Amino acid sequence: MSLEQFKNRNVGTQNYKTLDLDHTPVTGMGQFKQVVSRTFKPELFVGLWVTFREMINALFRGKMHTTQYPFEKLPISPRYRAIHDMLRLLESGHYRCIGCGLCEKICISNCITMDTQYDENQRKEVSEYTINFGRCIFCGYCAEVCPELAIVHGPRYETASEQRASFSLFEDMLTPIDQLNLQQEYQGFGAISPNADENIKKTPLAY
Amino acid sequence: MSEVQTVENMVSITIDGVDYKAKEGEYILNAARANDIFIPAICYLTRCSPTLACRLCLVEADGKQVYSCNAKVKEGMEITVSTPDILAERRAMMEVYDVNHPLQCGVCDQSGECELQNYTLELGVDSQSYTIQDTKREATNWSSVLHYDPGLCIVCERCTTVCKDMIGDAAIKTTKRGGEALDKAWKDEMPKDAYAMWNKLQKSVIAPSNGTEHTNCSDCGECVAVCPVGALVSRDFVYTSNAWDLKKIPATCAHCSSGCQIYYETKPASIEDRTEKIFRVTNEWNYVSLCGAGRFGYDFENRTATKDATTFAAAVKAFKKAKVINFNSVITNEEALMLQTLKEKLGVKLINREARAFQRFLGFYSEASGQSLYSLDFKEVMATDFVMSVGSSLRNDNPNARYAFNNVQKLNKGAGLYFHPVGDTLVPTFGKNIEMFAHKVGHEEAALLFIIKLFADQDKLPSSVKEQLDSDFVELLGGDTAKFEKSFEKMMKKKESFSLMVGEDLYFHEKAENLAKLIAVLEASSEVKVAMIPPKTNSLGVALICDLDDEAEGYTIGYNESGDFKLSALGDGDLDMPAMNQQEGTLTNMHKRVTPTNAALEYNGYVLNDIVREVASAPKETIMWTEHLPVSKGFKAVEFDSLPNHYTNDGVEHRGYLLESTSVEVEEISVDKFDDSNALEGEIAYRCNPQRQFNDFSDKAHQIFEGFGLYTSPAKAEALSSKVEVEFANGKLTLDVIVDERMEGDIVAIPDFKSAENIYELFAGSRYQTVTIKEV
């Protein structure tokens, strides 16, 4: 194995680059000039005209383009990738995740982490699971790689919150046990293809 | 393995039409591996005997199908790795291994480094043709560290092989599975070897060989290391991490002088705690075998350290007024060199009891033999076919010495002589040709004279030795003369190379000088070559680098030892120091090799180099001392970062470098007369650690359970109560009595791994001491 990583002891130096931006005016006169030139450009009136035209269209000609969010919501595609859901097995209600760590491994922004342990039933138990939504780019790889169809992207795109951490724990993502009957099978990346049966060979069994 | 490959012992072979050179007498598989040719094989372990369980290594040699792990190369041999027949066999074998093997790789600990996964993919197994009813097999815990899941087991027998051939415990064996018998119809339908393999596989499973549910072994965990699938995992590690999440840090184990190659495998401790934690220790198990302390005693890091300027200033002040530095051998070469620099610049005295004893002994040996270092390393010992051990409790002192003794018996059809006052029930089980002498304490000279009498050329002996050889040593050492003569004749059959391992008893012997001379005489007059077991981790390095003192008084700095100002990597001193898994540097091991180790875990405090920079002068980093290690003592002036740390496929070790040994001409040696009345009588205590304990650091690790107590044989324990008071001439101890089932005789063992107990002082410069044991 390569020993290079152990030979780099320069942990304290970073390689930052500064952007080459226009200078901000420093004198009072310079600032004043900038305000005047920005305020009285003709583009302002073009924008005002468009707004006025559309207002007339919407109010008097019945041509409304906007959806009355949050009272109305547009339907989203089943392949839409929003905040993740953790699904349960329909039969037993147990969570599907087996703690294999493939989502953790494939995650390109390194935002999934899980802790696993040996439980009293001699099974692998997921003791903690978290997604750092500050880093997640909703690429969908985790859902695609999951062998148990356990982690999927849900339809919940309203992610405004005081803290992003509010979505990120296992319990937050897991289907509530009393809503198990409402659990939807995911149709996006990683879902079983309609012709899956044709593509697999069967393993013979002795019984 | 380190022997020179001369033209004479090389043969020419052809593999798939390409010419290669191979060592004569080498197995085809090893020859192919050495030449970077891939032959699939699961059950074969380098350094162990072939088991022929997997049969995957089938190749065609000179037109005949042979198992490459078991067939030796011959001059001009033509080998074909894959023919259509062999490929069909291999494919069938892999399909058979996949029959009833659980497919939930996701939960398995071995996933990602599993040989069953790898070979299933390698051989393109994408469908299954075979089937049989599964047998219920339940997971069990074999010991405090071993977890076995027979449902995952493919019965490759690597665990049983390594336990027998390398470790010597033979604590596990194959046993009946009680599964469904194979349908005879398969015999005609499937390839022949695959059927035979399946037939055996279907019948067996692994179990402790003592017939109980639990193994009676040294808990080394080597079976866990060699398991190709997830059947054997350590209890602590089960389901805690995937192989690919762990970062491997190449290091050298710091518990004993074996200095084994290890990888510390780390990842963040948990979701809440993102500091790196060591999850397990792995090794290159084909080329190095660990003991239980190395494998499981890894969490001894110092977590409490911070950079506190006031304590640091106090430490600098303490160093400025220090007269003595008291330290032990759990220290890198670089730190030893720093201490030596302090001695030269500040005039402090250096005290290190075990390294000093070894240094004196090595000095006496060098004076008498003319060689600066002992002759053999322990890999060379493993290659001999007659091995002897004097002055070392083989099972406890050093695992590598024990593995060498055992491996010689198993692989080289070897023989062995074991001289030690404390009887042992395990050593005689290593092989059929082993004689054990439980001699009296103080008769170590007689043991060496006896070896001289057996092996030396009488004409080459100095007269002072020759005249002592007339006594009946077998009788004196507690054996039966007539019986021994008969068995010795058998032992000597077809033997070519001889080795002697000597241990700590001799270094702490009052006649150490005479013993060292006898060893030199033995080497000069016979074919026996000697290897020495340095007492503790880096004793050899310290002995070579530091100019140690015998006695010293005044203000003392203790480095992991007692003192007026204490530096400690255990977190209990005045100033914190990094533990061995938190620092980089080199260690000198028993194989006379200077090996690099890297920091696995973060350390936030001061290091010795910072202090040395304040009180004398020092470079920026500790590892910048590496190139200044004394060349006159055999070290090389090379930079730390240029030291290699790996093994190649032919098993050659590329870790650091070997020490250079220098030799000079010497005059004839004159030895003292042996006096058999010097034997110690009465109740005797022996300073000896239990199997997985070496120092405070192994004791700190949470998977090492061996306690501090009075270790006795089962018979002796019956005569004692559960708690006793042991009275020495200069102090006493109250200890719990702990039974060591493999000990024999009346001598009791008292461990020295807790430095706070000051055991060395109680024993007063010897390893044996007469004591009074009282009930409490």
Side-chain angles (χ1 to χ4, degrees), chain A residues 1-10 97-106 110 112-119 121-131 135 147-148 168-170 200-207, chain B residues 100 103-109 126-134 138-141 147 238-242 244-245 247-250 263 267-272 274 584 598-599 620-621 623 640-646:
Chain A
M1 78 182 278
S2 159
L3 299 170
E4 283 310 312
Q5 51 177 321
F6 302 105
K7 293 178 184 170
N8 178 18
R9 297 180 184 84
N10 293 326
C97 178
I98 55 167
C100 69
L102 289 183
C103 49
E104 190 181 6
K105 177 66 186 167
I106 206 166
N110 265 340
I112 302 181
T113 319
M114 63 172 73
D115 286 349
T116 54
Q117 66 188 39
Y118 189 69
D119 75 359
N121 303 319
Q122 305 191 340
R123 295 174 70 97
K124 192 175 196 172
E125 178 190 40
V126 184
S127 52
E128 246 177 288
Y129 188 103
T130 172
I131 299 177
R135 286 222 296 264
E148 301 290 318
S168 63
L169 292 179
F170 198 53
I200 55 164
K201 290 179 191 168
K202 284 181 180 151
T203 302
L205 287 173
Y207 45 88
Chain B
N100 293 338
L103 295 174
Q104 293 88 337
C105 287
V107 297
C108 181
D109 283 312
D126 55 358
S127 63
Q128 178 64 271
S129 331
Y130 311 112
T131 173
I132 194 162
Q133 193 177 327
D134 203 355
E138 279 187 54
T140 51
N141 289 326
H147 174 85
V238 181
Y239 294 163
T240 54
S241 179
N242 286 313
W244 58 76
D245 285 331
K247 191 169 108 192
K248 282 184 167 207
I249 289 110
Y263 294 112
K267 75 167 192 180
S270 69
I271 288 176
E272 282 88 28
R274 301 308 285 170
E584 26 179 29
N598 288 297
K620 185 167 169 257
E621 310 263 6
I623 45 131
F640 179 81
D641 281 350
S642 64
L643 294 174
N645 197 354
H646 64 273

Side-chain angles (χ1 to χ4, degrees), chain B residues 506-635:
Chain B
L506 307 194
Y507 319 148
F508 285 96
H509 203 278
E510 58 173 353
K511 305 275 274 177
E513 181 169 6
N514 210 37
L515 288 160
K517 280 180 181 170
L518 284 171
I519 290 169
V521 168
L522 174 69
E523 281 200 301
S525 61
S526 72
E527 287 178 43
V528 181
K529 293 278 170 266
V530 172
M532 294 183 192
I533 305 169
K536 289 278 149 73
T537 312
N538 197 18
S539 294
L540 177 59
V542 173
L544 293 174
I545 294 162
C546 296
D547 181 10
L548 299 168
D549 298 282
D550 288 316
E551 292 295 326
E553 271 186 14
Y555 188 79
T556 307
I557 296 204
Y559 184 7
N560 291 331
E561 289 285 332
S562 54
D564 300 315
F565 189 89
K566 196 173 173 194
L567 308 177
S568 172
L570 294 158
D572 61 351
D574 297 312
L575 183 71
D576 283 309
M577 283 283 123
M580 277 305 208
N581 52 12
Q582 292 170 303
Q583 53 178 316
E584 26 179 29
T586 58
L587 294 165
T588 314
N589 67 15
M590 68 201 291
H591 308 292
K592 300 183 284 184
R593 189 175 275 280
V594 180
T595 58
T597 185
N598 288 297
L601 299 172
E602 193 182 35
Y603 173 71
N604 299 317
Y606 291 100
V607 297
L608 190 61
N609 194 42
D610 297 326
I611 302 174
V612 177
R613 193 184 302 122
E614 291 291 319
V615 296
S617 65
K620 185 167 169 257
E621 310 263 6
T622 301
I623 45 131
M624 291 175 180
W625 290 88
T626 312
E627 57 205 271
H628 303 296
L629 290 170
V631 178
S632 59
K633 298 290 171 64
F635 291 93

Side-chain angles (χ1 to χ4, degrees), chain B residues 32 51 85 130 164 199 252 272 283 429 625-626 706 712 740:
Chain B
T51 35
D85 273 357
Y130 311 112
K164 185 164 135 263
N199 199 13
T252 300
E272 282 88 28
N283 57 327
T429 64
W625 290 88
T626 312
E706 285 84 344
T712 71
D740 181 343

